[in-house]
Amino acid sequence: MVQTTFFRIRRGPHRLASLLLYCGIITALLLGIASAQDRRGASAPLGAPMAVVGTRGMVVAQERLAAEVGRDVLAKGGNAVDAAVATGFAMAVTYPRAGNIGGGGFMLIHRAGGDDVAIDYRETAPAAATRDMFLGADGKPDNAKSRDSALGIGVPGTVAGLTLALEKYGSGKFSLAELLQPAIALARDGFVVSDDLADTLPDWHRRLTRWPSTARVLARPDGGPYREGDRLVQADLAVTLEAIAAQGARGFYDGPVADRLARAVQDAGGLITTEDLRSYQALIRTPLRGSYRGYDIVAMPLPSSAGPVLIESLNILEGLPLRDAPQGSAQSLHWLIEAMKRGYADRARYLGDPAFVDAPLSRLLDKDFAAKQRASIHADRATPATEMLPPPREGDNTTHFSVVDAQGNAVSNTTTLNFSYGVGLIAEGTGVLLNNELDDFTAAPGAANAFGLVGFEANLPGPGKRPLSSMAPTIVLKDGKVLLVTGSPGGSRIISAVLQVMVNVLDYQMDVAAAVAAPRVHHQWQPDEVRVERGFDPAVLGALQSKGHQIVTPLGQTSANSILMTAQGPRGAPDPRTRGAAAAAE
């Protein structure tokens, strides 16, 4: 038997009514229980969705059809990696604004028995990239070059990453072709447009249809955006997926598909060549390891900044009496904000592609360094960002899914095109929607990317470089076994979202659904402001302001689709902020 829970909030054409409905649902989910005085604290969500429980495994993703594809693989005896690969390729069809084969990402794998593996399939800059490629004639950053033009397209890594994961860590029960069949069928036969796709295609219609090759796929025959109830068929994408099924990664990075991809990028003014595609490699890396209050933290290494920032932030928090302050209280949020601020400042100062930058990770992740950071936190006032100003030399959509199987294996996978629908260009004849991921580089020292993240020399563009990322697939272990699998989309907000889910579960012992639904705050060092979601007690926000924190709303969307292991089995919690799905195999 299988069980799927799908959280769906309509917007459609009735925007005002839909917005009110959305706000009402989110408010109901996130309002604090003012009378609660236990460790869950004052902002434990009221009416939070119940987690879905499974016995033979769980997939939690942002799109229902893809989650069910992965669930079916688990139900047939596949392991977590098998299910993740099937889910990832299906997401490229059914969730095109972030699921992809034209982008990249990170996969974190825990194998029963204690082995942990990180797969880096981040996009790379083409060989012709230069450090000043996103500057205008005046020598200043030209945002249009990195965000709206084909110059922002990085060499895609998703196909290499998913195929490598299956080859090295799959169960051996399924071939790549078998795992690709559901995605091929969804692309070839089509599926009914609903929910997120129906909501976002109208919003992004003008950006997408500026490219004729994209308009032919993602616009109706009458030229308008697809609407709820329409059937979306992606015949060219089906052919590309069939080439991958038949030839593996070579079917994408070499031969006719690669030729079409390179030609489309170059015709649009980009730099990618067939040699860039042919030479791309996904990399197996050693995960970062940390500890927090008796739990083991397994996180992505560079070029993900998330692992270093998460572990540094947790190290700072570990020496604070967080549990003595109710969850969601001004004191607990003050400590979280100050820890985030320091972690994000060091992100800007030190981090980049490890093939090009020697980041001082041993110092940043050291408990003694955290103690010095912690000692600089003032109990009653915010630390100005300028006091942590780093010297110059010293993404909007992503998607995350979590998978566990009955054997104790787990996958935390985050993948992205950067903006929703990436740069918007579908390479003619391939069905592949391409990324604008190179905007994650720093155009010039001290400049900010589309998410406001400031960077310096360590993250300037260069040939073959992988831009620094905030993607944060994370696994928490207890006594060597999986306890929590989490991650999120949301650009610069990803790391802070994951940090708060972890603190809610590990410090406040919240149920995973409540931990995911609880309102969030975010501080990324620059700009020096705290972004908050609706749902906090105004008195709490007032207390933060009295400490000198500048409060700004709204925060912006994150979606921390998570799984918590319990005695009853895995409990899957889709984030109620989006229309995620938990698909359980029983």
Side-chain angles (χ1 to χ4, degrees):
M1 184 176 72
V2 292
Q3 178 184 8
T4 304
T5 293
F6 184 44
F7 296 99
R8 181 176 187 274
I9 301 171
R10 283 195 61 184
R11 287 166 50 208
H14 307 292
R15 245 176 224 287
L16 178 58
S18 303
L19 179 61
L20 292 172
L21 173 62
Y22 174 81
C23 291
I25 291 173
I26 292 299
T27 300
L29 289 171
L30 302 182
L31 275 177
I33 302 173
S35 62
Q37 297 298 324
D38 62 9
R39 291 200 308 166
R40 289 175 59 183
S43 66
L46 179 63
M50 296 296 292
V52 176
V53 180
T55 56
R56 295 179 58 192
M58 177 77 64
V59 180
V60 185
Q62 284 182 262
E63 198 284 316
R64 175 180 59 86
L65 293 173
E68 291 177 344
V69 166
R71 172 206 64 190
D72 291 344
V73 171
L74 294 176
K76 294 174 183 176
N79 70 7
V81 173
D82 299 332
V85 170
T87 300
F89 279 115
M91 292 282 282
V93 180
T94 62
Y95 196 72
R97 74 175 174 124
N100 67 82
I101 58 173
F106 300 125
M107 180 182 289
L108 196 61
I109 302 170
H110 173 79
R111 294 189 291 169
D115 291 340
D116 302 308
V117 174
I119 296 181
D120 170 3
Y121 59 97
R122 181 71 159 149
E123 303 90 337
T124 60
T130 63
R131 62 179 281 143
D132 60 356
M133 62 188 292
F134 298 131
L135 301 181
D138 59 359
K140 297 180 180 179
D142 182 346
N143 293 336
K145 286 186 175 183
S146 60
R147 300 172 193 177
D148 303 323
S149 82
L151 283 175
I153 302 172
V155 182
T158 298
V159 173
L162 294 181
T163 55
L164 177 64
L166 182 66
E167 176 188 350
K168 296 289 187 180
Y169 308 109
S171 68
K173 296 180 180 179
F174 297 89
S175 66
L176 177 63
E178 289 172 320
L179 295 178
L180 272 162
Q181 282 312 304
I184 292 169
L186 286 163
R188 182 187 59 237
D189 303 332
F191 61 95
V192 176
V193 172
S194 64
D195 306 303
D196 184 274
L197 195 56
D199 291 347
T200 58
L201 279 176
D203 295 338
W204 293 86
H205 183 68
R206 181 175 297 180
R207 178 178 172 86
L208 294 172
T209 54
R210 67 195 174 112
W211 308 101
S213 57
T214 306
R216 284 190 283 274
V217 178
L218 293 181
R220 290 160 52 100
D222 63 7
Y226 276 93
R227 305 187 186 98
E228 189 163 13
D230 291 340
R231 179 169 289 273
L232 175 60
V233 174
Q234 301 170 79
D236 288 341
L237 182 56
V239 172
T240 296
L241 292 170
E242 287 171 342
I244 298 167
Q247 302 173 55
R250 190 166 55 86
F252 182 86
Y253 292 99
D254 203 356
V257 171
D259 291 343
R260 294 188 185 103
L261 290 171
R263 186 182 313 120
V265 173
Q266 291 171 28
D267 287 349
L271 302 177
I272 292 175
T273 67
T274 54
E275 181 55 33
D276 290 321
L277 289 161
R278 190 177 299 113
S279 60
Y280 181 86
Q281 289 187 328
L283 302 175
I284 296 175
R285 299 189 185 274
T286 301
L288 288 186
R289 299 294 293 259
S291 63
Y292 182 69
R293 305 194 197 281
Y295 300 96
D296 294 318
I297 311 301
V298 185
M300 279 300 303
L302 292 171
S304 169
S305 66
V309 175
L310 275 174
I311 293 174
E312 180 179 346
S313 300
L314 289 168
N315 285 345
I316 294 169
L317 292 171
E318 190 172 38
L320 295 168
L322 200 60
R323 295 174 182 175
D324 293 344
Q327 192 275 344
S329 66
Q331 186 60 65
S332 69
L333 293 175
H334 173 69
W335 283 330
L336 278 165
I337 291 162
E338 292 297 306
M340 290 176 197
K341 194 184 301 184
R342 286 155 175 78
Y344 275 96
D346 285 334
R347 176 196 195 276
R349 180 175 185 173
Y350 295 115
L351 304 185
D353 185 339
F356 296 83
V357 175
D358 186 16
L361 290 181
S362 60
R363 186 172 78 87
L364 294 178
L365 305 184
D366 185 72
K367 298 282 188 180
D368 290 338
F369 176 68
K372 294 176 182 177
Q373 292 275 54
R374 187 164 53 246
S376 70
I377 296 175
H378 304 282
D380 297 316
R381 72 173 179 88
T383 307
T386 53
E387 291 187 10
M388 293 171 286
L389 181 66
R393 295 281 315 171
E394 297 272 300
D396 102 289
N397 219 285
T398 301
T399 187
H400 176 84
F401 57 85
S402 299
V403 185
V404 297
D405 62 28
Q407 291 73 46
N409 303 296
V411 169
S412 182
N413 188 90
T414 311
T415 184
T416 186
L417 290 169
N418 198 30
F419 285 15
S420 286
Y421 302 98
V423 77
L425 172 63
I426 289 179
E428 185 70 56
T430 69
V432 177
L433 190 60
L434 292 163
N435 66 84
N436 60 346
E437 204 61 60
L438 299 190
D439 182 63
D440 276 356
F441 282 120
T442 297
N449 70 5
F451 296 98
L453 285 169
V454 173
F456 293 92
E457 294 279 346
N459 194 38
L460 288 172
K465 285 184 72 173
R466 299 179 186 228
L468 194 61
S469 172
S470 294
M471 289 184 285
T474 305
I475 297 174
V476 179
L477 307 177
K478 182 65 174 176
D479 299 326
K481 296 181 179 179
V482 173
L483 175 71
L484 177 67
V485 184
T486 189
S488 179
S492 62
R493 305 175 298 274
I494 292 173
I495 302 170
S496 60
V498 171
L499 176 66
Q500 288 165 91
V501 170
M502 295 170 69
V503 166
N504 288 344
V505 170
L506 304 182
D507 281 294
Y508 294 106
Q509 304 297 302
M510 294 172 69
D511 174 74
V512 65
V516 168
R520 298 178 190 139
V521 299
H522 172 74
H523 198 301
Q524 62 185 46
W525 175 60
Q526 292 286 4
D528 194 359
E529 61 189 23
V530 180
R531 290 201 167 267
V532 301
E533 288 183 321
R534 295 177 179 88
F536 285 106
D537 186 334
V540 168
L541 300 184
L544 288 174
Q545 288 175 315
S546 71
K547 293 177 183 290
H549 294 290
Q550 182 180 347
I551 304 298
V552 178
T553 59
L555 171 57
Q557 183 175 291
T558 47
S559 184
N561 301 308
S562 304
I563 300 172
L564 180 69
M565 300 301 294
T566 70
Q568 293 73 41
R571 294 174 63 82
D575 199 314
R577 295 161 180 79
T578 59
R579 291 158 292 276
E586 298 184 39

